[in-house]
């Protein structure tokens, strides 16, 4: 066979031979890999010998090596450097892959072997890690419905298929509503808008074929419009359209779809033996139960609401000074908050930028990893999939740890956002393999390339995920690196952002691109303070959405989700001038798919932990305290999913996280 994806990778560190792979190699490689994987799975399932950990669970771990190679190369280039052929392949692959993996998770003979081992787990003489892998494998099968028989099995398949199609309709309706609405602006209506908003309004107008500039419902245009437009009537009109997405009646209305989705999820959870869908979803998370989620959210809610109500009074007074009577409305908040931000902490982004050079910020992220964990980085010259990519060998005490790849610049072929993925995960079985980890960002190119403060945080964030992969030290790949609960996976990344804020880090690495001078102290203070601005509003709009998501999935599914939403908000005493960050008819996190259903809370859960975990360093003697760094690596960064997240955190911190550090960090209580 001479398909370079499937042939042995003989380059340094066994990196994929990107210079030899062409797009026409992907489809045949995927077909061959799926066939090979099916043969491996078939052999495990039909093995005439009695099941053992080695011939079943370890055999499953070892299976799919070809799949891993094809998928890691394909999804790397499809996300970071796409083209029409790669897009077409992605559309072709995604249903194929869904069917392939669902075929494995519903393979009854395979499940029988795993269930047999599970029933005898205490007699098998397993290590802790092996017992954990067996538990996760068994639980995965059961949660996918592999243990159901007869009518229940049939009904589960129906529910899954129906949920998939309802999720797609929800997304398409939302897109249709977002696409169809726009508001034309006259030249007069542009007054008060900054240049970048005017430019995007003109570009949007051209795209819509309008006569002039327009406001659309895209977050990147409507939010700045609400922040800057002095025209209260236009803000009201735009805000109402924005919050009506998915609830406009007719063909694209999502309210009935949301109700059906909630009913089906509830039925699915019952079939699997759970009290509610929230119980089903949270079983695998660190939070574990709906009560613990609510308890945490409510601890944040009260101080956030108090702050928001106090802020509302200040904003109302500013509105009075403009001669506007009546209550502060949801379309007024962002406008007056922006005026207040300017008055209180005017941070000049243009003056800040020259201090944040991409190359120096990369050095800063490496230097912190060196001081904390002793990692060293040496640039490599190897062929990658795009000339903008760079690679480093990561070592410690001369020993190879990982290869780290950075692909930092925005380009048309890259999807938006920033992410970290392992092109190869760490494992010691069936053979020792060192990780190959990639960070992909969308920073503007320049000479030198300069970052905004948000960009620099993103760089540290993604590098935190990379450390979680690179420092992983477990036996089985299925639990290595970032293979942890969803409400735990953002801990290493959000935690690493804190090192960017350490004054000595910025003093050393935030140097002016032309003069080389360090960032002035005054500017540094402003940067850090501006990050806390309007947190009452932001916390309230987020937590309200998280609590509605939780209420929807607890107990019996509501017949009328909109009425349930109103009830939850009334019970909370939702401030009148703040809307939910995502209301039900356009709450895509919860209804477009299953990813964040009964899980929207997890951003806040992780943030509570990262604030609390960084406080552990500060309490111990500073951001670079070596004992704390050692404990962080030993208990969190190297352990993957080998133990329950809560156990890992307890081992690191000696207690569970409290909300105090988060409330201080967001400026909701006094520091
Ligand atoms: Zn992240």
């Amino acid at each position: 066979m001479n398909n370079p994806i499937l042939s042995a990778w003989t380059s340094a560190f066994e990196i994929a031979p990107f210079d030899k792979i062409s797009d026409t190699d992907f489809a045949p490689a995927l077909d061959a890999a799926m066939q090979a994987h099916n043969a491996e799975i078939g052999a495990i399932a039909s093995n005439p010998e009695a099941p053992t950990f080695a011939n079943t669970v370890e055999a499953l771990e070892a299976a799919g090596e070809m799949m891993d190679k094809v998928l890691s190369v394909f999804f790397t280039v499809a996300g970071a450097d796409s083209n029409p052929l790669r897009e077409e392949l992605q559309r072709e692959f995604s249903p194929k892959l869904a069917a392939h993996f669902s075929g494995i998770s519903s393979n009854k003979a395979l499940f029988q072997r795993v269930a047999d081992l599970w029933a005898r787990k205490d007699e098998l003489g397993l290590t802790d890690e092996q017992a954990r892998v067996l538990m996760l494998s068994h639980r995965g099968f059961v949660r996918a419905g592999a243990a159901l028989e007869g009518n229940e099995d049939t009904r589960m398949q129906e529910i899954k298929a129906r949920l998939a199609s309802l999720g797609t309709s929800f997304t398409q309706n939302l897109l249709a509503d977002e696409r169809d609405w726009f508001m034309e602006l006259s030249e007069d209506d542009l007054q008060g808008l900054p240049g970048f908003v005017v430019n995007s309004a003109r570009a949007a107008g051209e795209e819509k074929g309008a006569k002039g500039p327009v406001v659309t419902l895209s977050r990147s245009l409507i939010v700045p419009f609400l922040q800057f437009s002095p025209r209260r009537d236009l803000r009201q009109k735009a805000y109402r359209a924005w919050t009506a997405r998915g609830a406009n009646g007719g063909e694209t209305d999502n309210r009935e779809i949301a109700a059906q989705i909630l009913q089906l999820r509830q039925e699915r959870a019952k079939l699997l033996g759970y009290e509610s869908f929230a119980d089903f979803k949270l079983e695998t998370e660190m939070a574990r139960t709906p009560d613990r989620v609510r308890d945490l959210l409510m601890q944040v809610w009260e101080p956030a609401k108090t702050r928001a109500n106090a802020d509302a009074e200040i904003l109302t007074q500013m509105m009075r000074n403009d001669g506007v009577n009546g209550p502060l409305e949801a379309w007024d908040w962002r406008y007056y908050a922006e005026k207040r931000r300017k008055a209180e902490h005017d941070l000049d982004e243009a003056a800040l930028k020259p201090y944040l050079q991409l190359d120096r910020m990369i050095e800063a992220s490496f230097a912190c990893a060196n001081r904390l964990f002793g990692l060293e980085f040496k640039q490599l010259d190897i062929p990658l999939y795009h000339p903008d990519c760079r690679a480093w060998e990561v070592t410690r005490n001369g020993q190879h740890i990982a290869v780290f790849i950075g692909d930092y610049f925005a380009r048309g072929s890259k999807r938006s956002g920033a992410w970290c993925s392992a092109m190869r995960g760490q494992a010691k079985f069936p053979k020792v393999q060192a990780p190959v980890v990639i960070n992909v960002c969308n920073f503007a190119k320049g000479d030198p390339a300069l970052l905004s403060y948000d960009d620099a945080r993103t760089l540290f964030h993604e590098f935190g995920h990379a450390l979680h992969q690179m420092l992983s030290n477990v036996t089985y790949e299925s639990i290595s690196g970032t293979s942890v609960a969803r409400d735990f996976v953002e801990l290493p990344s959000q935690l690493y952002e804190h090192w960017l804020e350490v004054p000595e880090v910025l003093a050393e690495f935030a140097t002016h691109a032309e003069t080389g001078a360090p960032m002035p102290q005054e500017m540094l203070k402003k940067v850090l303070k501006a990050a806390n601005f309007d947190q009452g509003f932001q916390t309230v709009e987020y937590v309200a959405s998280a609590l509605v998501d939780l209420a929807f999935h607890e107990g019996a599914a509501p017949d009328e989700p909109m009425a349930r939403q109103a009830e939850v908000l009334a019970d909370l005493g939702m401030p009148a001038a703040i809307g939910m960050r995502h209301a039900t008819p356009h709450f895509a996190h919860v209804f477009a798919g299953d990813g964040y259903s009964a899980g929207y809370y997890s951003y806040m859960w992780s943030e509570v932990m990262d604030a609390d975990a960084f406080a552990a360093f500060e309490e111990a003697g500073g951001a670079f305290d070596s004992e704390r760094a050692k404990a962080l690596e030993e208990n969190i960064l190297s352990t993957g999913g080998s133990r329950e997240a809560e156990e890992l955190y307890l081992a690191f911190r000696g207690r569970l996280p409290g909300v105090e550090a988060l409330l201080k960090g967001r400026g909701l209580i006094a520091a």
Side-chain angles (χ1 to χ4, degrees), residues 362-423:
I362 295 172
E363 277 178 55
S365 68
F366 289 175
C368 292
N370 178 266
R371 279 184 75 178
L372 291 164
F373 312 114
L375 300 182
E376 294 182 272
F377 297 80
K378 195 179 96 202
Q379 194 140 10
L380 290 171
D381 186 18
I382 50 175
L384 293 163
Y385 60 87
H386 192 278
D388 283 349
C389 296
R390 334 174 190 185
W392 292 264
E393 187 193 356
V394 186
T395 59
R396 176 156 56 187
N397 303 324
Q399 267 195 317
H400 180 78
I401 297 276
V403 170
F404 174 69
I405 299 169
D407 177 3
Y408 296 107
F409 296 123
R411 54 178 173 264
S413 62
K414 196 186 271 189
R415 72 176 159 88
S416 59
W419 63 95
C420 170
S421 55
M423 290 181 59

Side-chain angles (χ1 to χ4, degrees), residues 418-420 458 461-462 465 489-494 497 603:
W419 63 95
C420 170
T458 300
H461 179 101
E462 298 310 331
H465 284 306
V489 74
E490 296 300 326
L491 169 61
S493 52
Q494 293 183 176
E497 291 176 29
Y603 298 97

Side-chain angles (χ1 to χ4, degrees), residues 94-400:
S94 92
K96 265 190 182 178
L97 288 168
H100 177 77
F101 289 111
S102 123
I104 296 173
S105 63
S106 58
N107 183 323
K108 299 272 181 208
L110 190 58
F111 171 64
Q112 275 318 312
R113 295 181 72 85
V114 174
D116 175 78
L117 289 170
W118 178 243
R120 298 186 284 118
K121 59 183 185 300
D122 297 330
E123 304 153 24
L124 302 174
L126 303 179
T127 65
D128 287 352
E129 191 181 327
Q130 289 172 331
R132 173 89 180 157
V133 171
L134 172 59
M135 185 281 282
L136 291 172
S137 171
H138 180 255
R139 190 172 76 180
F141 277 111
V142 171
R143 288 171 63 83
L148 298 178
E149 305 281 352
N151 288 343
E152 291 191 330
D153 189 14
T154 315
R155 180 63 186 150
M156 178 60 85
Q157 302 309 326
E158 279 169 14
I159 292 175
K160 281 193 194 169
R162 183 78 188 123
L163 279 172
S165 94
L166 286 169
T168 307
S169 305
F170 189 94
T171 311
Q172 284 169 350
N173 289 343
L174 191 51
L175 285 173
D177 276 10
E178 282 172 1
R179 205 175 39 226
D180 291 349
W181 190 91
F182 60 89
M183 178 172 75
E184 296 191 321
L185 299 175
S186 69
E187 290 300 315
D188 274 358
D189 298 338
L190 298 174
Q191 272 178 31
L193 299 179
F196 81 94
V197 184
V198 172
N199 289 342
S200 4
R202 289 198 197 282
E206 270 171 37
E207 203 193 306
K208 296 281 180 202
K211 289 188 285 297
V214 303
V215 176
T216 67
L217 299 180
S218 147
R219 191 172 270 273
S220 61
L221 181 51
I222 191 162
V223 169
F225 182 78
L226 292 170
Q227 270 174 312
F228 293 104
S229 174
R231 285 283 300 277
R232 193 174 193 225
D233 57 332
L234 298 182
R235 293 199 312 261
Q236 176 178 11
K237 194 174 163 198
Y239 182 85
R240 287 214 159 130
W242 192 37
T243 49
R245 286 169 300 148
N248 286 310
E251 295 265 292
T252 60
D253 200 298
N254 271 336
R255 286 171 289 190
E256 181 50 33
I257 293 179
Q260 285 181 39
I261 289 176
L262 294 174
Q263 300 286 350
L264 288 168
R265 283 180 180 161
Q266 163 78 2
E267 191 185 343
R268 178 177 171 190
K270 286 268 182 205
L271 275 174
L272 293 170
Y274 297 86
E275 206 39 46
S276 71
F277 188 76
D279 288 297
F280 166 67
K281 263 322 268 293
L282 292 167
E283 179 191 32
T284 58
E285 301 299 323
M286 178 174 172
R288 280 205 319 273
T289 68
D291 282 348
R292 293 193 1 152
V293 172
R294 177 176 301 92
D295 182 50
L296 174 114
L297 290 172
M298 288 311 293
Q299 287 182 59
V300 178
W301 171 259
E302 287 302 333
K305 186 172 76 171
T306 305
R307 166 55 53 87
N309 284 332
D311 287 342
E313 279 181 33
I314 295 169
L315 302 183
T316 304
Q317 193 51 53
M318 292 171 70
M319 190 171 83
R320 295 279 177 274
N321 297 344
D322 275 359
V324 181
N325 290 314
L328 183 78
E329 300 283 0
W331 46 90
D332 298 320
W333 190 293
R334 289 179 175 82
Y335 176 70
Y336 287 101
E338 176 58 27
K339 277 193 157 183
R340 186 181 169 201
R341 192 190 65 81
K342 264 222 173 93
E344 289 180 13
H345 354 242
D346 199 9
L347 177 67
D348 184 352
E349 278 273 341
L352 172 66
K353 264 201 159 191
Y355 289 98
L356 300 171
Q357 304 175 60
L358 170 64
D359 286 358
R360 297 242 66 202
M361 289 298 114
I362 295 172
E363 277 178 55
S365 68
F366 289 175
C368 292
N370 178 266
R371 279 184 75 178
L372 291 164
F373 312 114
L375 300 182
E376 294 182 272
F377 297 80
K378 195 179 96 202
Q379 194 140 10
L380 290 171
D381 186 18
I382 50 175
L384 293 163
Y385 60 87
H386 192 278
D388 283 349
C389 296
R390 334 174 190 185
W392 292 264
E393 187 193 356
V394 186
T395 59
R396 176 156 56 187
N397 303 324
Q399 267 195 317
H400 180 78

Side-chain angles (χ1 to χ4, degrees), residues 476-636:
Y476 299 104
E477 189 173 354
S478 68
I479 54 161
S480 82
T482 53
S483 303
V484 298
R486 183 197 45 211
D487 60 4
F488 193 69
V489 74
E490 296 300 326
L491 169 61
S493 52
Q494 293 183 176
L495 176 58
Y496 207 65
E497 291 176 29
H498 289 268
W499 275 276
L500 175 63
E501 296 180 356
V502 173
E504 62 190 281
V505 174
L506 282 177
E508 184 175 355
F509 294 97
T511 54
H512 197 279
E514 280 151 36
T515 66
M519 182 188 292
Q521 282 297 313
E522 265 315 292
M523 186 181 271
L524 175 59
K525 272 188 208 148
K526 270 188 184 172
V527 170
L528 299 181
K529 223 177 138 200
N532 272 338
F533 184 68
D534 213 19
Q535 284 296 325
F537 171 89
Q538 297 202 13
T539 312
V540 160
E541 67 161 1
Y542 167 84
V543 174
S545 288
L547 285 165
V548 167
D549 167 39
L550 186 68
F552 277 168
H553 296 100
E554 272 187 287
D559 291 325
E560 301 272 355
M562 297 304 286
R564 183 81 185 104
Q565 172 185 302
E567 198 176 75
V568 173
L569 297 181
D571 285 351
L572 284 171
M574 181 77 172
I578 303 181
M580 294 167 71
R581 186 165 170 86
H582 308 282
T584 303
H586 47 262
F587 204 165
H589 287 80
V590 170
F591 293 108
D594 228 6
Y596 278 87
S597 54
Y600 192 62
Y601 76 93
S602 49
Y603 298 97
M604 182 65 71
W605 187 274
S606 296
E607 196 183 322
V608 164
M609 268 190 294
D610 77 66
D612 186 70
F614 192 70
F617 280 85
E618 288 174 326
E619 287 161 19
F624 293 100
D625 182 79
S626 59
E627 285 299 305
R628 284 295 178 182
K630 195 166 159 242
L632 181 66
E633 179 177 349
E634 264 176 27
N635 298 300
I636 293 177

